[in-house]
């Protein structure tokens, strides 16, 4: 099963050295959306430049999901 890394960008980059197994890019995107929603709920800020970046095990970017206090469910 492929491993994906979910990194948080919030003025600096918080790397995910362990990662998480997901069946596909689509499942990894769903996990990223859930992480972004949780961060938006836990940390209310007007900084709309926050995002979750998903990398595959080769370090290739799979997707970016914005962390947005108003609507964190949409992905780029």
């Amino acid at each position: 099963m492929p491993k994906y890394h979910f990194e948080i960008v919030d003025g600096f980059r918080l790397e995910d050295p362990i990662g998480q197994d997901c069946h596909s890019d689509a499942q990894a995107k769903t996990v990223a959306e859930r992480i972004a929603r949780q961060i938006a709920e836990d940390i209310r800020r007007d900084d709309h430049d926050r995002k979750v970046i998903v990398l595959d095990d080769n370090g290739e970017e799979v997707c970016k999901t914005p962390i947005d206090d108003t609507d964190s469910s949409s992905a780029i």
Side-chain angles (χ1 to χ4, degrees):
M1 186 175 308
K3 186 169 294 240
Y4 294 85
H5 302 268
F6 300 86
E7 302 193 348
I8 310 302
V9 176
D10 184 12
F12 63 95
R13 191 175 191 128
L14 178 62
E15 294 182 5
D16 173 12
I18 298 172
Q20 178 177 332
D21 293 333
C22 295
H23 292 286
S24 65
D25 289 359
Q27 183 184 18
K29 181 178 176 181
T30 299
V31 171
E33 290 169 349
R34 186 176 66 232
I35 291 169
R37 276 194 305 274
Q38 188 63 50
I39 291 170
E41 289 174 10
D42 290 349
I43 304 171
R44 300 274 182 204
R45 291 184 26 191
D46 291 331
D47 179 2
H48 294 286
D49 196 27
R50 302 181 299 161
K51 57 188 145 284
V52 177
I53 297 177
V54 181
L55 305 174
D56 64 17
D57 218 17
N58 296 320
E60 298 293 322
E61 188 174 300
V62 174
C63 71
K64 292 180 191 174
T65 301
I67 300 170
D68 185 350
D69 294 341
T70 57
D71 179 16
S72 61
S73 61
S74 61
I76 296 174

